[in-house]
Amino acid sequence: MADQLLFNPRTYDPAHFDPETRRLLRATVDWFEARGKRRLIEDYRSRVWLEDFLAFAAKEGLFATFLTPAPDAARPDQRWDTARIAALNEIFGFYGLDYWYAWQVTILGLGPVWQSDNAAARARTAELLSQGEVFAFGLSEKSHGADIYSTDMLLEPDGDGGFRATGSKYYIGNGNAAGLVSVFGRRTDVEGPDGYVFFAADSRHPAYRLVKNVVDSSKYVSEFRLEDYPVAAEDVLHTGRAAFDAALNTVNVGKFNLCTASIGICEHAMYEAVTHAHNRILYGRPVTAFPHVRRELADAYVRLVGMKLFSDRAVDYFRSAGPDDRRYLLFNPMTKMKVTTEGEKVIDLMWDVIAAKGFEKDNYFAQAAVEIRGLPKLEGTVHVNLALILKFMRNHLLDPVAYPEVPTRLDAADDGFLFRQGPARGLGSIRFHDWRTAFDAYARVPNVARFREQADALCEFVTTAAPDEAQSRDLDLLLAVGQLFALVVHGQLILEQAGLTGLDEDVLDELFSVLVRDFSGYAVELHGKDSADERQQSWALGAIRRPVVDEARSARVWERVEALSGVYEMAP
């Protein structure tokens, strides 16, 4: 029987969605499957632009259906629905990150538009989407990266209510083909934050100069330059502090997509890795007969399941967010930081097993091993997102409040709040529900209980051994603490989703045995930090735990992994 926890194109039936969503998701899978593995890999290696894929997406109205918010929709099936967007991310990741990237940077490019009150720009954008156009997000620069305080895109007033824009942008996906580029800059006549401007540019305009693709890939990650580009009043999307907020809130929306792309990559790679290992004979035995191989593949499998559970539950908080419930602002960088780095671990574990096979040019795994590295480094580095997560630690661990229960959100609703997030500040005031509730529900599972001991120990750390004022300036130390906190949040949402889906408790127990080991490893790391004081060193050693070993449980989980052999292989 096929594993119900992993995406499998042969059995995929997204019956939980409405008919048009199901049709489009299945049509996307079928397009890739008909294309075949050889063509998929050839296109990846020859670095061709994605014209065939974009033609398919335009013909089906894929981007227009999934990325047009309901207020701007021309059809009732058009909406911004994070649940189905996540499903499409997973599919794109499964077949190749190049396809996902063109879609992802389109999402980023749309963010400032859908947050804007500029009705003309919104209408023009909806029309461009219906024509199958892609979009781009002109934020980062070569000299400053995403440091938007220091933008050198300068807008000089033209005397007629508009501007002339001059400057360059760097690392801008789809910059070669975007029907609309949302560009961030600053006025030359206004100092400080009040001078920020977000405006819409056209990549086909003569004053828009495409410099190059800065990466060796089908992904067109452009450098472009505007030379005295005319910005009419109707092209202005945001001004002043609202432009700054639009930039950060767009990244809030866009960074979420990295987790499900990572999941798709790992799923495809896992089918290849398990099938190869199980059918390869060494010293008269299948490779999977060796205990260390079973451990690595089982760890990879349960980590991947954890990635899916966390991300699925995070969707619910994203979709249920509002002015009085901003918990998504913690779970969002968690999907970006924690899930994507888990993806790297999953690939590494499998690569240790399949070894040289992971380099072969005829396998998907070779590109997966490269592409999985990029996701933790997009839309903010792991370090940036860990530092962001730390802002929520004390409130989350120590000061819970009551919230209404958040249900599974697979309904066909428009997630309009994502474009009404408001000012990008006040993170320290955000409160959370009690994380212990999810752990209490699974106290009977041995390794959940063992991990709970470590989570409780972290609360003790925050109250008795938290970094002092001097240590609070040592980001190296703080990031080690952030990793410990991230594990608690990771475990919490995994448990919530396990309860909603009835996850097999063997799988859950095996997954938490991995998390117990992870927590112990980060505690040892904290112990070794240069600035860790004696209290913190003592706490770190006291937080180390050994997972609860159950050979029968591990054998049952291994049977699930072993059963993946031969379940899916992409058609030639």
Side-chain angles (χ1 to χ4, degrees), residues 465-536:
D468 60 24
E469 185 177 349
Q471 289 176 319
S472 294
R473 294 189 290 272
D474 180 358
L475 189 57
D476 188 43
L477 177 77
L478 294 180
L479 292 179
V481 177
Q483 291 284 10
L484 294 165
F485 174 50
L487 277 169
V488 176
V489 181
H490 190 56
Q492 176 196 349
L493 262 61
I494 286 170
L495 291 170
E496 289 185 13
Q497 188 67 7
L500 291 167
T501 59
L503 180 71
D504 182 289
E505 289 192 9
D506 283 339
V507 174
L508 190 65
D509 201 11
E510 197 77 5
L511 169 57
F512 269 81
S513 75
V514 171
L515 300 188
V516 169
R517 281 187 269 135
D518 285 353
F519 195 100
S520 297
Y522 286 124
V524 171
E525 185 177 328
L526 175 63
H527 177 273
K529 292 298 179 184
D530 291 353
S531 65
D533 61 29
E534 288 187 8
R535 290 176 310 152
Q536 292 158 347

Side-chain angles (χ1 to χ4, degrees), residues 39-350:
R39 177 69 183 276
L40 197 77
I41 293 173
E42 284 176 1
D43 285 352
Y44 172 75
R45 298 199 177 284
S46 61
R47 304 165 181 81
V48 297
W49 176 238
L50 312 171
E51 289 184 12
D52 290 352
F53 164 69
L54 295 177
F56 155 77
K59 174 177 172 290
E60 297 291 345
L62 183 61
F63 288 16
T65 302
F66 277 49
L67 301 181
T68 307
D72 302 275
R75 303 191 315 271
D77 53 46
Q78 293 180 324
R79 64 183 184 275
W80 196 284
D81 174 341
T82 304
R84 66 180 186 177
I85 286 172
L88 193 54
N89 286 329
E90 186 175 3
I91 291 169
F92 286 153
F94 190 91
Y95 290 107
L97 207 61
D98 291 345
Y99 307 98
W100 171 85
Y101 185 74
W103 147 268
Q104 161 70 355
V105 291
T106 289
I107 287 173
L108 292 170
L110 291 168
V113 179
W114 297 143
Q115 292 177 68
S116 175
D117 293 328
N118 185 330
R122 293 174 69 107
R124 176 157 58 104
T125 297
E127 176 59 27
L128 289 169
L129 267 174
S130 72
Q131 296 169 7
E133 295 280 1
V134 294
F135 294 76
F137 186 52
L139 184 66
S140 65
E141 298 176 9
K142 190 171 186 178
S143 299
H144 308 297
D147 175 10
I148 56 181
Y149 295 100
S150 306
T151 178
D152 288 330
M153 177 63 70
L154 303 180
L155 287 85
E156 185 173 347
D158 63 5
D160 295 320
F163 303 93
R164 292 281 173 166
T166 298
S168 63
K169 294 290 180 178
Y170 201 79
Y171 291 142
I172 311 304
N174 290 351
N176 60 317
L180 184 150
V181 185
S182 296
V183 183
F184 185 85
R186 60 184 172 89
R187 298 172 58 153
T188 58
D189 61 329
V190 177
E191 292 294 323
D194 291 338
Y196 294 139
V197 180
F198 241 126
F199 63 95
D202 182 351
S203 69
R204 298 168 181 86
H205 193 282
Y208 179 106
R209 184 168 69 86
L210 185 66
V211 179
K212 62 180 177 180
N213 186 356
V214 303
V215 299
D216 187 17
S217 170
S218 293
K219 304 175 196 66
Y220 206 105
V221 187
S222 70
E223 177 184 4
F224 72 79
R225 181 166 183 82
L226 303 184
E227 299 279 4
D228 204 30
Y229 184 99
V231 180
E234 56 266 28
D235 297 325
V236 175
L237 303 173
H238 302 274
T239 59
R241 295 175 188 273
F244 180 89
D245 291 336
L248 296 186
N249 291 338
T250 292
V251 174
N252 282 342
V253 175
K255 75 167 64 169
F256 181 84
N257 300 308
L258 284 82
C259 64
T260 34
S262 179
I263 289 164
I265 292 172
C266 291
E267 287 170 321
H268 197 156
M270 178 158 280
Y271 288 122
E272 281 194 346
V274 174
T275 299
H276 168 71
H278 193 57
N279 290 278
R280 182 167 174 78
I281 306 299
L282 284 182
Y283 310 111
R285 293 189 293 170
V287 167
T288 49
F290 294 96
H292 69 288
V293 168
R294 291 190 173 194
R295 167 52 53 203
E296 288 179 313
L297 291 179
D299 280 4
Y301 174 79
V302 295
R303 283 188 188 276
L304 176 52
V305 170
M307 292 163 65
K308 294 200 74 168
L309 292 166
F310 183 92
S311 300
D312 286 348
R313 186 57 175 152
V315 165
D316 301 333
Y317 287 99
F318 233 60
R319 303 196 72 197
S320 300
D324 300 320
D325 184 356
R326 302 169 71 204
R327 287 175 287 176
Y328 74 102
L329 288 175
L330 166 59
F331 304 139
N332 186 26
M334 279 288 301
T335 59
K336 158 65 181 74
M337 182 282 296
K338 186 63 181 175
V339 176
T340 60
T341 53
E342 283 291 286
E344 288 189 289
K345 292 175 184 176
V346 169
I347 293 294
D348 287 343
L349 285 163
M350 294 189 294

Side-chain angles (χ1 to χ4, degrees), residues 1-77:
M1 180 178 176
D3 192 299
Q4 300 300 309
L5 296 176
L6 303 187
F7 169 74
N8 181 348
R10 292 180 180 171
T11 59
Y12 183 59
D13 178 19
H16 48 282
F17 289 120
D18 62 276
E20 180 62 5
T21 299
R22 292 202 303 272
R23 185 192 73 79
L24 284 169
L25 291 173
R26 188 66 242 184
T28 303
V29 171
D30 291 343
W31 184 83
F32 282 112
E33 289 293 318
R35 201 166 184 77
K37 188 174 184 178
R38 186 176 298 112
R39 177 69 183 276
L40 197 77
I41 293 173
E42 284 176 1
D43 285 352
Y44 172 75
R45 298 199 177 284
S46 61
R47 304 165 181 81
V48 297
W49 176 238
L50 312 171
E51 289 184 12
D52 290 352
F53 164 69
L54 295 177
F56 155 77
K59 174 177 172 290
E60 297 291 345
L62 183 61
F63 288 16
T65 302
F66 277 49
L67 301 181
T68 307
D72 302 275
R75 303 191 315 271
D77 53 46

